[in-house]
Amino acid sequence: MSPENDAAVARFRELLQIPTVSHADEREIDWQPFDAFVAALPRLYPRTHERLEREIVDGHSLLYRWAGTAASDPLVLMAHYDVVPVVAEEWDRPPFAAEIVGDGADAEIHARGAIDDKGSLVAILEAIEQLAASDFRPARDVYLSFGHNEETAGGGARAVVALLRERGIRPGLVIDEGGAVVEGVVPGVTVPTAMVGVAERGVMTALLTAREGGGHASTPPAFPATARLARAIDRLHRHPFPVRIAPPVRALFATIAPHTPQPLRWVFGHLALTGPLLARVFPRLGPEMNALVRTTAVATELSGAPGENVLATTARASVNIRLLTGDTVASATAHLRRAIADPEVEVEVRHGSDPSPVSPWRGEPWRRVAGAVASALGEDVVTTPYIQLGASDSRWFTAISAHVYRFTPFHLTRAERDALHSHNERIRVRVWLRGIGFYRDLVAAS
C-alpha cells in the first residue's frame, strides 16, 4: 500500500480499538470510550476540524457543517460510532484489537464495528480530510451526522433532525448505512449490484402473554400457560405474513433484468405476469429473499416461571416484527391476533414504527449516488433500489428530506454480511479503502 493508505488504515484501526459499546439500558454504558472517540477525531483529522464547524448534540452525537457556495439542498452523510456488545470468547481475534489478518489484497481488519458502522464513519472522515486538504469547497453545504446510539434508541439522530428542522434546513440528499455492493444475492444476476435502500422496513415489538393460577410443577394443569404460549408461537410460525412484491422490489428486478440470462431476464422483466409466482418462490431462496417479499416475525425473548419446579403464572414472549413497505403496526397487530387465534393470549404492542416513506429512484439526487458508485466502485457495478431490511437512523431524516438513501459503499461477501452483529466482524482493507472514494466523489459532485 501507499504511505497515504497505510496512514488511513492506522487511523481506522485506532478508532476501532475504542470500545464504544451501547446498551439499551444506558445505565450500563461506559461513556469514557465515547468521550475518547470524540476527543480523538480532531487529532486524527485536523484539516476537517479546521474547515468544518462541529457541535455535540444529545450529549454524544456529532453534527458537522461544511459551508458550501450555497446553503440550500445540503448533502448529509450519516454514520454511527456506537457498536453492539460482544462475546469475546466467540471471536477468533480480540474484538477490539483491530488486528490485520492476511497480506496483500486479501488482508482483513477484524474488529467490532469494522463494517457496522465505524467503517463508513471513518471512510467519510477520510474523504472529507482529503478534500479539505486540497482547498476544495463544496457547491452545497455538507453535513456529517454521527450518531452515538443508533444500535439502541436512536435519540442522537432524532435530536439532530429536530435541530436541523428548527433551523429550517431541508437536505437535498441523505446517505446512511444500508445495502452494500453484493454478488449472488439474486439468482441469475451476473454483475455486482450496489443495493441502495430507498426505504426501510418498519420495526415493532409485540409482547405475547399467557396466564394461569400457578402452583407446584408436580401437579400441572392440562394446559399450562407455557403450553398456551408455545402454541401461540407455533401458530404464528405456521401462519406467516402474506407475500407480495412492493414497488421498490419491483424496481430492483426491473433494474437487474437486463443483467440476467434468459429465461430469468423475461421473468424479471414481466413482473406484472410473474410477480405473484416469484413472491411465493423467493422465501425458499433464503432469509434475505424472504425478507424482501413479506413482513417477518420471530419470537426472541422468552420468560416463564421463576424456578424449575414452579408453574408459571405468567409466560411471555417478545416477538420482533419487521414491516414490509405497505404494512403498518396496526395491520401487523391484526395479523398476529388472527394467526394466534386465542383470546386467552394477550397481544400488546410494546413499541413500533411504520415503514419509512419511499425515496425516488429517479432524478438528480439518485443520479448523484449512482454516479459516485460508478466512478469509485466500478463501471460494472449496477446501482439498484431495494428495501433496506434492517432499521437505521436514516428513518428520522425522512421527516425533513424526500431523498433519503441507505448504502454502505463496500463490496461485501455473504460471510462478511453474516458477521454483522455476530462474532468475527471484519472488512477487507482494499474494500474499505475503495469505499472512501465513494464519499469523496459524492461530495465533489455536490
Side-chain angles (χ1 to χ4, degrees):
M1 290 191 301
S2 67
E4 293 80 9
N5 285 344
D6 285 337
V9 170
R11 288 187 288 268
F12 186 24
R13 294 182 64 206
E14 178 176 339
L15 293 171
L16 286 170
Q17 290 165 356
I18 303 175
T20 49
V21 178
S22 62
H23 298 275
D25 184 349
E26 292 199 343
R27 293 172 297 182
E28 300 178 17
I29 296 176
D30 179 1
W31 291 110
Q32 189 280 326
F34 289 76
D35 295 335
F37 186 95
V38 171
L41 298 182
R43 171 176 54 83
L44 296 176
Y45 299 99
R47 293 179 179 86
T48 296
H49 288 78
E50 290 170 5
R51 299 283 301 277
L52 279 67
E53 306 164 11
R54 185 179 92 169
E55 55 188 311
I56 296 177
V57 181
D58 194 33
H60 298 275
S61 287
L62 302 174
L63 179 64
Y64 292 80
R65 174 178 176 258
W66 192 357
T69 304
S72 60
D73 298 324
L75 167 67
V76 178
L77 301 179
M78 297 180 64
H80 64 88
Y81 69 98
D82 63 317
V83 300
V84 295
V86 301
V87 180
E89 296 77 15
E90 296 178 351
W91 287 63
D92 295 337
R93 310 276 175 168
F96 293 105
E99 292 183 7
I100 295 181
V101 180
D103 299 307
D106 294 325
E108 301 173 328
I109 301 176
H110 285 233
R112 171 62 84 224
I115 297 174
D116 187 12
D117 186 33
K118 289 180 182 176
S120 290
L121 187 150
V122 182
I124 291 170
L125 287 171
E126 291 289 335
I128 298 298
E129 187 77 1
Q130 292 175 17
L131 291 169
S134 68
D135 292 328
F136 170 84
R137 185 183 183 188
R140 300 176 174 91
D141 281 4
V142 176
Y143 287 86
L144 314 181
S145 177
F146 297 155
H148 74 280
N149 59 358
E150 189 275 344
E151 298 291 3
T152 53
R158 288 202 303 273
V160 167
V161 168
L163 186 63
L164 294 178
R165 189 207 299 266
E166 180 182 313
R167 295 172 179 172
I169 296 167
R170 294 193 61 83
L173 173 59
V174 179
I175 294 286
D176 195 11
E177 63 176 333
V181 178
V182 299
E183 296 178 64
V185 171
V186 181
V189 178
T190 57
V191 294
T193 52
M195 310 289 279
V196 179
V198 296
E200 61 181 48
R201 299 193 299 171
V203 58
M204 63 180 283
T205 296
L207 187 65
L208 310 184
T209 304
R211 306 181 191 275
E212 68 172 334
H216 200 284
S218 63
T219 55
F223 197 43
T226 48
R228 185 178 293 276
L229 180 66
R231 186 179 69 176
I233 295 171
D234 180 62
R235 284 178 172 175
L236 183 58
H237 180 71
R238 289 188 292 108
H239 296 87
F241 285 81
V243 295
R244 56 188 170 80
I245 297 184
V249 179
R250 289 182 179 274
L252 161 65
F253 287 102
T255 302
I256 64 175
H259 306 281
T260 57
Q262 294 289 10
L264 282 178
R265 183 180 304 177
W266 188 91
V267 171
F268 291 163
H270 295 80
L271 288 181
L273 297 174
T274 62
L277 175 61
L278 286 178
R280 292 194 295 272
V281 171
F282 284 161
R284 304 175 186 177
L285 302 179
E288 289 180 328
M289 296 300 293
N290 178 58
L292 276 179
V293 295
R294 66 155 44 107
T295 290
T296 57
V298 61
T300 52
E301 298 175 312
L302 300 171
S303 64
E308 62 182 24
N309 63 345
V310 180
L311 292 175
T313 57
T314 303
R316 289 193 172 96
S318 295
V319 179
N320 186 268
I321 301 166
R322 301 302 173 112
L323 300 163
L324 185 65
T325 298
D327 286 342
T328 64
V329 172
S331 67
T333 303
H335 175 88
L336 291 184
R337 297 186 191 280
R338 288 194 303 271
I340 293 169
D342 185 347
E344 297 300 316
V345 175
E346 301 170 14
V347 179
E348 174 191 356
V349 177
R350 298 298 301 273
H351 54 79
S353 59
D354 290 336
S356 75
V358 179
S359 295
W361 48 87
R362 298 179 183 87
E364 191 262 347
W366 177 262
R367 288 194 295 270
R368 284 157 60 192
V369 175
V373 168
S375 63
L377 306 180
E379 293 285 348
D380 63 326
V381 179
V382 176
T383 302
T384 178
Y386 95 121
I387 294 178
Q388 167 94 349
L389 300 182
S392 72
D393 272 345
S394 69
R395 65 191 184 277
W396 311 116
F397 275 77
T398 60
I400 58 172
S401 177
H403 298 88
V404 178
Y405 302 105
R406 303 145 183 94
F407 177 61
T408 300
F410 307 130
H411 195 145
L412 301 179
T413 66
R414 178 60 185 266
E416 289 164 344
R417 301 196 305 275
D418 286 345
L420 298 181
H421 284 213
S422 186
H423 56 280
N424 296 334
E425 183 178 350
R426 61 201 181 276
I427 191 168
R428 285 163 288 163
V429 171
R430 61 181 172 86
V431 165
W432 179 74
L433 290 170
R434 191 180 302 133
I436 296 170
F438 168 80
Y439 294 115
R440 184 183 61 242
D441 292 356
L442 186 62
V443 173
S446 298

